[in-house]
């Protein structure tokens, strides 16, 4: 299957492609943003406690802990 | 001329219909929905490791699925596979073309890939019989630079290109299986869904597109950015998309609502976003900018809660390991840093 060369398409070809695509997208079934926001919030809150970058990690449990060396206070 | 006029009118009409439809489903914003949530405390990540070895700008990095090994690509003409815990270089692979723009680690850990101004995606086998890492395939067909690549498996990889298309390749035969055309500007970045059924692409036409891999079909198009989208990724649950743009903002688009839920922006941030990654739970968004910094956002409250400052030049790439334990940044200063 040859790669489509966008340079070879005429302006009309590109416009037809876009209209065809828009006709598909106009028919999409959409959810209310309230439902989607709830899901995003629930997902985040379910995983937050285990999220190292949010909660931090103790030195002894950190696989990336710096070894030895001097600590300047 | 009449035909183009008609097509343009039809286009505008359809776009207006889509805008109106999206409005009727917009009954709240993420900020309103999260109004009862307390903002995350100040996030202060420390550099735990610095990976030194590249001799020129680093353009890309990608974590392996084991959360320990990672691969980086630099315009010094090398791909380096690092053990991020020991900082040892597991492999240093010399490239035919030093103009590399992207790299990827296969989920299996067996292969890595890279590409750039050579318009090709080169696949390397890390587990060859004699221990030497060699080019396994050179995937050539794009007529523009390779901006990004991501493995679906050891036999399939998806690439995005400056020729405005994305391609699904059969690695064994070295041929194109599917072509994803529709963007009207260079494709800059791509991300694969957690279930491997979809991928998203961000382009210089300011839009992001969601593609059904098996049907080679664009399912949804997201607009709103005012400049090129340089970075894109799935929100960890696979139902939303995060984009980063030259317009200095990041956006979160929900796939089911088919629209933007929130924009992460601040009047003090004027530099384009080069790279982004979400923390494991999705609470934090780390965004790398042209101004050498990485901004850390609370994704629910849309507030900046931290900054990673440590590089002496542009942060070109960023990735959070799959177990969420650390974040890696790569920079034009030639170093990679591991933070947590």
């Amino acid at each position: 299957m040859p790669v489509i060369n966008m340079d070879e398409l005429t302006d009309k070809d590109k416009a037809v492609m876009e209209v065809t695509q828009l006709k598909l997208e106009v028919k999409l079934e959409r959810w209310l943003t309230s439902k989607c926001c709830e899901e995003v919030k629930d997902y985040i809150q379910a995983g937050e406690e285990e999220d190292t970058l949010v909660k931090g990690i103790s030195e002894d449990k950190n696989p990336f802990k710096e070894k030895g060396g001097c600590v300047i206070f | 001329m009449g035909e183009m006029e008609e097509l343009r009118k039809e286009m505008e009409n359809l776009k207006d219909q889509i805008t109106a439809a999206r409005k009727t489903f917009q009954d709240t914003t993420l900020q309103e929905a999260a109004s009862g949530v307390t903002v995350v405390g100040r996030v202060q990540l420390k550099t735990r490791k610095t990976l030194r070895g590249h001799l020129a700008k680093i353009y890309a990095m990608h974590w392996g699925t084991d959360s320990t090994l990672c691969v980086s690509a630099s315009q010094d003409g090398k791909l380096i596979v690092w053990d991020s815990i020991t900082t040892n270089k597991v492999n240093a692979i010399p490239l035919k073309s030093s103009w590399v723009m992207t790299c990827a680690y296969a989920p299996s850990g067996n292969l890595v890939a890279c590409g750039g101004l050579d318009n090709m995606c080169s696949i390397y086998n890390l587990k060859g019989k004699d221990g030497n890492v060699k080019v396994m395939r050179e995937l050539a067909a794009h007529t523009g630079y390779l901006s990004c690549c991501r493995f679906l498996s050891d036999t399939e990889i998806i690439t995005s290109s400056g020729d405005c298309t994305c391609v699904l390749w059969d690695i064994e035969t070295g041929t194109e299986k599917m072509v994803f055309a529709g963007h009207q500007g260079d494709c800059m970045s791509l991300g694969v869904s957690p279930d491997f059924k979809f991928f998203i692409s961000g382009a210089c036409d300011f839009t992001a597109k969601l593609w059904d891999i098996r049907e080679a079909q664009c399912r949804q198009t997201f607009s709103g950015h005012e400049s090129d989208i340089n970075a894109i990724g799935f929100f960890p649950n696979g139902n939303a998309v995060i984009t980063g743009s030259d317009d200095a903002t990041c956006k979160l688009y929900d796939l089911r609502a088919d629209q933007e839920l929130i924009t992460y922006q601040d009047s003090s941030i004027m530099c384009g976003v080069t790279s982004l990654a979400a923390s494991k739970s999705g609470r934090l968004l780390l965004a790398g900018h042209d101004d050498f910094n990485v901004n850390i956002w609370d994704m629910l409250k849309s507030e900046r809660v931290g900054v990673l400052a440590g590089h002496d030049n542009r942060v070109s790439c960023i990735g959070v390991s799959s177990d969420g334990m650390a974040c890696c940044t790569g920079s034009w200063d030639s170093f990679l840093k591991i933070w947590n």
Side-chain angles (χ1 to χ4, degrees), chain A residues 1-7 11-12 14-19 21-26 28-41 43-45 47-48 50-54 57 59 61-67, chain B residues 3-4 7 10-11 15 17 21 25-28 30 33 37 48-49 84-85 141 163-165 176 181-184 217-221 235-237 239 254 256-259 279-284 300 324-326 338 340:
Chain A
M1 185 195 270
V3 173
I4 292 172
N5 194 337
M6 293 301 284
D7 292 335
D11 281 349
K12 186 178 157 224
K14 289 185 191 174
V16 168
M17 259 178 86
E18 219 191 320
V19 166
Q21 181 58 33
L22 286 167
K23 282 184 179 165
L24 274 169
E25 291 179 12
V26 83
L28 277 166
E29 279 186 33
R30 297 174 176 89
W31 287 21
L32 288 172
T33 54
S34 54
K35 186 165 181 214
C36 299
C37 290
E38 268 316 292
E39 270 205 22
V40 166
K41 191 162 68 103
Y43 182 85
I44 289 175
Q45 292 182 316
E48 266 187 296
E50 311 291 308
D51 190 337
T52 306
L53 299 180
V54 175
I57 188 166
E59 278 288 293
K61 295 212 182 96
N62 191 353
F64 297 98
K65 68 173 179 287
E66 297 134 288
K67 290 204 183 95
Chain B
E3 250 182 334
M4 269 310 278
L7 282 168
E10 217 185 336
M11 231 188 272
K15 283 184 182 172
Q17 282 180 54
F25 284 87
Q26 189 190 36
D27 59 337
T28 189
L30 184 57
V37 177
R48 301 294 177 182
K49 307 283 178 185
S84 61
I85 294 181
D163 69 11
C164 309
T165 71
E176 314 98 79
H183 274 300
Q184 295 179 28
Q217 181 69 59
C218 171
R219 292 253 172 263
Q220 291 171 258
T221 304
F235 182 76
N237 70 359
N239 293 327
D254 191 290
R256 277 86 58 87
D258 183 46
Q259 59 189 286
S279 71
K280 192 167 157 84
S281 67
R283 187 65 200 258
L284 301 178
L300 282 179
M325 298 282 272
I338 310 286
N340 69 12

Side-chain angles (χ1 to χ4, degrees), chain B residues 258-303:
Chain B
D258 183 46
Q259 59 189 286
E260 179 188 320
L261 291 185
I262 199 162
T263 297
Y264 303 97
Q265 65 189 343
D266 187 306
S267 52
S268 66
I269 304 174
M270 292 178 290
C271 280
V273 177
T274 59
S275 47
L276 62 81
S279 71
K280 192 167 157 84
S281 67
R283 187 65 200 258
L284 301 178
L285 167 62
L286 295 100
H289 292 257
D290 288 344
D291 66 356
F292 314 175
N293 287 327
V294 174
N295 286 310
I296 306 177
W297 294 89
D298 176 329
M299 287 198 77
L300 282 179
K301 305 296 288 182
S302 180
E303 279 186 42

Side-chain angles (χ1 to χ4, degrees), chain B residues 14-162:
Chain B
L14 288 163
K15 283 184 182 172
D16 287 342
Q17 282 180 54
I18 292 173
T19 305
R22 282 171 171 162
K23 273 215 177 83
T24 65
F25 284 87
Q26 189 190 36
D27 59 337
T28 189
T29 62
L30 184 57
Q31 266 161 321
E32 282 161 19
S35 56
V37 177
T38 320
V39 85
V40 135
R42 186 124 196 100
V43 174
Q44 282 171 315
L45 304 183
K46 296 199 185 110
T47 301
R48 301 294 177 182
K49 307 283 178 185
T50 299
L51 306 179
R52 294 166 221 272
H54 278 302
L55 303 171
K57 295 176 177 172
I58 291 172
Y59 273 79
M61 69 78 49
H62 194 213
W63 281 99
T65 47
D66 67 355
S67 297
T68 300
L69 299 179
C70 64
V71 63
S72 60
S74 161
Q75 294 204 345
D76 63 3
K78 292 241 169 40
L79 268 192
I80 298 181
V81 177
W82 309 83
D83 178 320
S84 61
I85 294 181
T86 62
T87 73
N88 288 341
K89 298 176 194 46
V90 178
N91 302 103
I93 307 163
L95 305 174
K96 267 195 207 169
S97 163
S98 60
W99 303 113
V100 67
M101 294 173 69
T102 182
C103 62
Y105 217 130
S108 64
N110 295 330
L111 310 173
V112 288
C114 68
L117 295 182
D118 58 355
N119 298 1
M120 289 196 313
C121 182
S122 301
I123 312 285
Y124 294 84
N125 185 354
L126 298 177
K127 308 282 167 81
K129 272 172 276 185
D130 55 1
N132 279 333
V133 176
K134 286 189 297 222
V135 180
M136 201 179 100
R137 283 290 174 276
E138 282 175 340
L139 308 173
H142 278 300
T143 53
Y145 60 85
L146 206 83
S147 53
C148 194
C149 56
R150 285 292 178 260
F151 285 92
L152 294 183
S153 65
D154 280 3
T155 54
E156 289 181 317
I157 191 168
I158 300 183
T159 55
S160 62
S161 169

